[in-house]
Amino acid sequence: MEVSLEEFGTLDFDVKAWLNRQFAAQTNDDSAATDDARAQRLVTQLHFLATNAQQNSDRIKARFRHQAAQIGRDIAGLGKAVSATQAQLVGLTQAVDRQAASAPTMAAVVELGTAQRQLARTVEALGLQRSYTDLPQKVDGLVEARDFGRAWALVDGVAGAAGLDADEVHACRERIEAGVVGELGRAVAERDAEAAARMGQLLAAHGQTELVETEFVRVRAQIGVKALEGRYDDIGGLLHAALALITEERTFAEAAEMSDAVQEQLIERFADAMQTEIQRHVDRAENIGAVSVRGVYDALVGFCADAGLDTDESSALSVGAAHVQRVPLALHHLLEPLRECVERLGMAEADRIQGGSLGALRAVEYETGRAEAYVRDAAREMDCVFSDISETLDSLLVVVPAAMARRAAEDVLVAVSEASGVISAGIATLADSAGFDVSDLAAATELDTPIPDLTGAAFQPLANEDKLDAVSRSVALALLAEQLENHTATVVANVRHRLADMYSHPQSLIAAALNGQNEVSETMDLEAADLDIEVPEISAVAAAQAVVFLLGGAFRAPLERIPASSVWHGAAARSSMGVTVPQFSCAPSEDAVDIGEKMHILLPELEQAVAMHAQCAPDAMPLYTFVLQHMSACDGEEDDSPLLAMLALVLRSVQRAFVRQVCCVEAPLSALGCRQLAADTEYIASVAASFGAMPDPDFAELLTSVLRHNAEASDILESPEHVELTELQRALHALLIHSDN
C-alpha cells in the first residue's frame, strides 16, 4: 500500500486508525510476514517519505530565500495597504453611524466599496506571488505530462507580472517549446497527423510557424532520404520508389495541415538526395548513346509530370506585363545530371558514329572489277551510318532544349561530312590509279587544260582494261554519292522541321531547367537564322566530274597535238618541173580523224557506263541524270533523251576544246592550212550532228568563219561589212584573213 502525504494534512487525521489501515493492508499483501517485519517496512516507508518531503522543502526554501526579499517587500507593502484599508473602514464605519442618512455618508460608502475591491486585488496578488515560488516545478510537471497547452497558458498568465524573474520565465518558455518540438518530431516521425497538427498549431500560436515547418521537413526528409538510399538496377525503380514516397508524404503533410511550401521543400530534399543515383544512370546511358539518354530523359519527364513538378501553378509569377514561371528547385536537382550530359551529347554522338558505322563504311574496299560488290557493301554501311544519324537526331532533338538544339544537330551532322570523306578518298584513289590529279576534275569539261602526262589509264579508250576499271570505279562512287545526297537531304529536312516545331512553342519548365534557367517566359527570343542549319558539304559534284573526266579523257591527246601540227602552214605540192599541182579538196587530218573516231565510239562507251550503273543499283537514279544534275558546265538545254544530253555535254566539250586549240596555232595559216581547217571543222561538226547534238557556240563561230573565208577566197561570197569583233573573231581573223591565199 502506498503512503501519501496528503492524508496527514486532513483535519480529521487519526494516527491510530491510520496505522491500523496500514497494517491491515500489509497483511493482505503478505500474510506470511511478522508484525515486526510489517512495522519495520512501514517505518522505512515513513522515513523515505519524510526524507523526500524534507528535500522538497529545502528546495522550496532555497527558492523562497532567492525571492524572499522581493516577497518581503510585497508583503510589507501589502501589510501597509491592509492597515490603511482597515483604518479607512473604521473611520467610515464611525461616519456611517453618525451620518447614516446624509450625502457624505453615501460618498463614504462608495469609498468603502473601493477599499474593499483594492483589498481583494491585494489578496489575489499575494496569492499569485506565493505561486511564483513553484512555477518551474509546475511547468516541468505539465511538460512531463505532455500538457503543453496548460503549461504555456500558465506561463502566459504570469508573464509580465511585477516581481517575476524574466529570465526564469524565458527558461520556462524554452522548456515548453523544446517539449512541443520534441512531441512534434515524434508525431511527424510516427506519421501521427493529428498530434503533429496539434503541436504545429500550438507552436504557430506562439509565433513559431517557421520552426514547425523546419522540424517537419527535417524529420520527414531524413526518413525519406534513408528510404531512397541504395543502388537501383534501372532508373525506373528509383523513380517509382520516389514517386510513391512523395505521394505518401504529400498526403501526410496535408493531413498534418502543412503548407504547400513545406511539401515543395520536402520534395527538393528528396530530389537532391536522388541526384547521385540519377547521375550514375545518366553516365551509363551516355556511354551507350543518345537513345539510352532519351530513355532516362523520358523517365525523368514522366516522373516530373506524375509528381506535379512541371505544371506547378504556384511557380507562376507576374512580372510587369509579362507572365513568368519560376522553375522549381526540385527540377534543377533532378535534371542537373542530364543538363551536363546534353551539353556535350551532340559531339559524343558524332564520336560514337565515327567509331561505329562510319568505321565500318571506311573499311569497305574496292576490288578491281568488282564494282557491284563494292556498291552493295558500301551502300549497306552507308545506310547504317544514316540510320545511326537519324536515330541519334530523333532522340537528341527530344532531349536537348531548343536553345542548344541547332548546335547539337550540327555536331551530329559532322558525320555526314565524314561519310562524304569516304567518297572523296575513293576519288583520290581513283585519280592516283588512273594517272590524273584530283584538281583536274574541276575542269572536267575543259578538255584543253594542260595535263603533263597523258599516258595514264584515264586518257585511254574504254577498251583498255585499266580504263574500264577506272570508269567502273567512278560509277560506283557516283552511286554512293547519290545515296549520300539523298540521305543528307532527308536528314536535313527533318532537322529543320523539328527545329521549326521546337521554336514555335513556348519553352517548357523542363527545357528551362535543362538550359540552366531559373525562370521561363511565355515566348522564346529566337532568330529566324536558327533554322538555317549548316548543311554538310558532300562530294557528289566531284563524283559526277570524275565520270565526265574519264569519258572525255581519250580526246585530250589528239586535241593537244593540234597546235603543233604541220598541216596548218603547209604549201601546195609542186611537180618535178616546179609547177604547182592543183588541190581541189582536203581530207580531214589525222588528228581530226582520231577525234571523230573517238566521238563515234563515245555513245557505246557511255551506254556501257550506264549499264554498269544500272547493274550495280537497278533502282537508283540513272547515271546520266545524276551527272547532268551536278555538272555546272551543262548549258541547260533540254534534250529528248537524258542519255543523249550527257553525250552532247561531252561532244560540246570536245568542240570547245578544238576551237581553243586552233586559236593556239601560230598565225597566219597558209591557204592549204585554211582548207585543212575547214575540212577538219566540217568533219567534226558532221560527226557531232550525226548524234543530234547542238554544236558548241564557239565551234559554230569557227565553222562559219572558215567557210566564209574559203568562199571569199573563191569569190563566191562578198566580205561582210566591218563590225566590232569578239575575242574569238579577232583570233580567227588573225589566222584566216591574213593568210596567203
Side-chain angles (χ1 to χ4, degrees):
M1 181 175 180
E2 293 185 0
V3 179
S4 176
L5 286 176
E6 282 78 0
E7 299 181 33
F8 296 99
T10 60
L11 296 176
D12 57 349
F13 178 71
D14 185 350
V15 175
K16 184 177 180 180
W18 183 82
L19 288 173
N20 288 333
R21 288 197 303 273
Q22 294 296 323
F23 281 122
Q26 291 188 15
T27 300
N28 294 332
D29 294 340
D30 188 3
S31 59
T34 63
D35 291 340
D36 290 341
R38 296 189 188 100
Q40 183 61 39
R41 184 184 303 167
L42 182 59
V43 170
T44 301
Q45 287 179 328
L46 290 172
H47 178 72
F48 176 76
L49 191 61
T51 301
N52 191 34
Q54 183 62 43
Q55 290 175 349
N56 290 336
S57 177
D58 291 343
R59 285 197 298 271
I60 293 172
K61 287 178 181 179
R63 186 173 298 281
F64 183 77
R65 282 195 299 272
H66 175 69
Q67 297 179 342
Q70 182 63 39
I71 294 174
R73 288 192 295 272
D74 290 344
I75 292 174
L78 180 61
K80 291 179 181 180
V82 170
S83 298
T85 302
Q86 288 175 342
Q88 289 177 348
L89 288 174
V90 172
L92 288 171
T93 302
Q94 293 174 355
V96 170
D97 292 340
R98 291 194 301 267
Q99 302 177 7
S102 63
T105 300
M106 296 302 296
V109 171
V110 174
E111 291 181 4
L112 176 61
T114 302
Q116 286 176 334
R117 288 192 297 273
Q118 182 179 356
L119 179 60
R121 286 196 298 269
T122 303
V123 172
E124 182 183 356
L126 181 59
L128 182 61
Q129 185 66 35
R130 287 173 180 168
S131 69
Y132 292 168
T133 58
D134 59 351
L135 177 63
Q137 287 76 19
K138 290 181 179 179
V139 169
D140 289 343
L142 291 171
V143 170
E144 187 174 352
R146 297 183 179 178
D147 194 351
F148 304 110
R150 287 182 59 194
W152 231 318
L154 177 61
V155 175
D156 291 343
V158 300
L164 189 62
D165 189 346
D167 291 339
E168 189 163 343
V169 173
H170 181 68
C172 290
R173 287 186 183 279
E174 287 185 339
R175 286 197 293 276
I176 298 171
E177 185 177 296
V180 175
V181 171
E183 179 65 12
L184 174 64
R186 180 202 63 78
V188 171
E190 296 176 1
R191 301 182 67 83
D192 186 346
E194 183 179 351
R198 189 169 60 252
M199 294 301 104
Q201 292 169 359
L202 193 57
L203 285 169
H206 290 81
Q208 297 296 337
T209 302
E210 185 175 349
L211 180 60
V212 175
E213 297 179 348
T214 301
E215 183 67 9
F216 185 93
V217 171
R218 183 189 68 79
V219 174
R220 294 314 307 171
Q222 186 176 13
I223 295 173
V225 168
K226 188 174 182 180
L228 291 173
E229 287 179 350
R231 295 170 69 87
Y232 293 81
D233 293 336
D234 60 88
I235 195 169
L238 170 66
L239 298 180
H240 178 76
L243 183 61
L245 177 64
I246 289 174
T247 302
E248 292 177 358
E249 294 302 332
R250 277 182 167 157
T251 302
F252 175 55
E254 291 173 358
E257 301 180 5
M258 294 295 130
S259 65
D260 291 341
V262 170
Q263 299 179 35
E264 185 175 349
Q265 291 176 35
L266 195 57
I267 296 174
E268 288 172 5
R269 298 283 289 274
F270 293 157
D272 186 44
M274 295 163 61
Q275 196 173 92
T276 301
E277 185 67 7
I278 292 175
Q279 183 70 64
R280 186 173 71 86
H281 288 289
V282 168
D283 291 342
R284 185 171 64 182
E286 187 176 4
N287 290 333
I288 298 174
V291 176
S292 184
V293 173
R294 180 179 177 179
V296 174
Y297 170 86
D298 289 341
L300 286 171
V301 170
F303 170 78
C304 292
D306 293 339
L309 297 178
D310 63 342
T311 56
D312 188 3
E313 295 181 358
S314 65
S315 65
L317 305 172
S318 293
V319 181
H323 180 75
V324 177
Q325 269 191 307
R326 176 178 58 85
V327 179
L329 185 58
L331 271 184
H332 283 294
H333 289 325
L334 290 169
L335 299 177
E336 179 64 22
L338 200 59
R339 185 179 71 83
E340 296 175 357
C341 169
V342 299
E343 287 180 349
R344 57 178 180 265
L345 189 57
M347 292 295 294
E349 285 303 286
D351 292 341
R352 186 182 64 81
I353 295 172
Q354 286 262 17
S357 51
L358 263 173
L361 176 61
R362 294 190 186 99
V364 179
E365 295 183 356
Y366 178 86
E367 296 181 11
T368 302
R370 294 180 55 83
E372 187 175 352
Y374 173 76
V375 170
R376 182 189 64 244
D377 295 342
R380 181 183 63 248
E381 299 303 335
M382 183 80 75
D383 287 340
C384 291
V385 170
F386 278 90
S387 176
D388 284 351
I389 292 174
S390 298
E391 188 177 62
T392 295
L393 288 172
D394 285 343
S395 298
L396 194 70
L397 295 179
V398 170
V399 176
V400 176
M404 59 179 76
R406 175 186 174 185
R407 188 192 68 189
E410 289 180 346
D411 288 341
V412 174
L413 290 177
V414 169
V416 176
S417 298
E418 296 297 329
S420 180
V422 173
I423 297 175
S424 298
I427 292 174
T429 303
L430 168 64
D432 184 63
S433 63
F436 65 93
D437 193 88
V438 174
S439 61
D440 296 334
L441 296 180
T445 57
E446 305 299 325
L447 301 181
D448 58 314
T449 53
I451 295 178
D453 184 8
L454 295 178
T455 60
F459 311 105
Q460 307 304 317
L462 194 59
N464 181 280
E465 185 176 349
D466 292 336
K467 174 65 174 284
L468 182 64
D469 183 67
V471 172
S472 176
R473 186 189 292 258
S474 70
V475 167
L477 292 172
L479 272 170
L480 290 182
E482 178 190 344
Q483 183 185 17
L484 173 65
E485 194 172 44
N486 292 338
H487 279 313
T488 302
T490 301
V491 167
V492 170
N494 180 53
V495 170
R496 285 175 172 164
H497 174 75
R498 295 282 293 276
L499 290 178
D501 185 63
M502 292 172 70
Y503 294 162
S504 64
H505 291 85
Q507 191 180 41
S508 66
L509 286 171
I510 296 290
L514 283 173
N515 206 36
Q517 301 170 212
N518 293 323
E519 294 177 349
V520 53
S521 58
E522 288 185 339
T523 58
M524 297 179 64
D525 185 17
L526 295 168
E527 301 292 337
D530 290 329
L531 297 176
D532 188 20
I533 65 170
E534 183 176 350
V535 180
E537 183 178 350
I538 57 178
S539 50
V541 172
Q545 290 173 337
V547 173
V548 174
F549 184 89
L550 291 173
L551 288 174
F555 292 95
R556 291 182 179 270
L559 286 171
E560 191 177 70
R561 294 194 298 265
I562 288 176
S565 177
S566 61
V567 299
W568 311 121
H569 303 95
R574 293 181 179 273
S575 66
S576 58
M577 301 295 295
V579 178
T580 301
V581 178
Q583 188 172 6
F584 301 100
S585 64
C586 281
S589 66
E590 182 179 347
D591 292 332
V593 171
D594 193 4
I595 292 173
E597 290 177 348
K598 287 179 169 57
M599 293 173 70
H600 275 295
I601 63 173
L602 181 61
L603 180 58
E605 290 182 345
L606 178 56
E607 289 175 337
Q608 189 173 353
V610 170
M612 293 179 189
H613 185 277
Q615 184 177 1
C616 292
D619 298 330
M621 176 192 301
L623 176 64
Y624 41 77
T625 303
F626 172 80
V627 170
L628 291 174
Q629 286 182 354
H630 293 87
M631 291 299 297
S632 59
C634 181
D635 56 16
E637 293 183 8
E638 296 185 0
D639 291 87
D640 294 336
S641 169
L643 177 63
L644 294 180
M646 182 173 172
L647 176 66
L649 173 67
V650 179
L651 292 177
R652 283 192 287 270
S653 298
V654 174
Q655 292 175 336
R656 186 164 53 252
F658 178 79
V659 173
R660 292 175 180 173
Q661 293 296 81
V662 166
C663 291
C664 293
V665 175
E666 183 180 355
L669 301 183
S670 65
L672 182 59
C674 288
R675 287 193 291 273
Q676 186 63 57
L677 179 58
D680 290 353
T681 304
E682 286 184 288
Y683 172 70
I684 293 174
S686 65
V687 174
S690 67
F691 294 107
M694 296 292 295
D696 176 78
D698 288 350
F699 185 82
E701 177 69 25
L702 170 62
L703 180 61
T704 301
S705 298
V706 170
L707 292 177
R708 179 184 295 116
H709 174 272
N710 290 340
E712 291 174 348
S714 303
D715 295 328
I716 298 175
L717 294 175
E718 297 181 357
S719 300
E721 296 181 359
H722 174 72
V723 294
E724 185 176 354
L725 302 178
T726 64
E727 183 177 352
L728 174 61
Q729 289 171 336
R730 285 195 296 272
L732 295 178
H733 180 78
L735 284 172
L736 303 174
I737 299 302
H738 297 288
S739 63
D740 182 11
N741 293 318

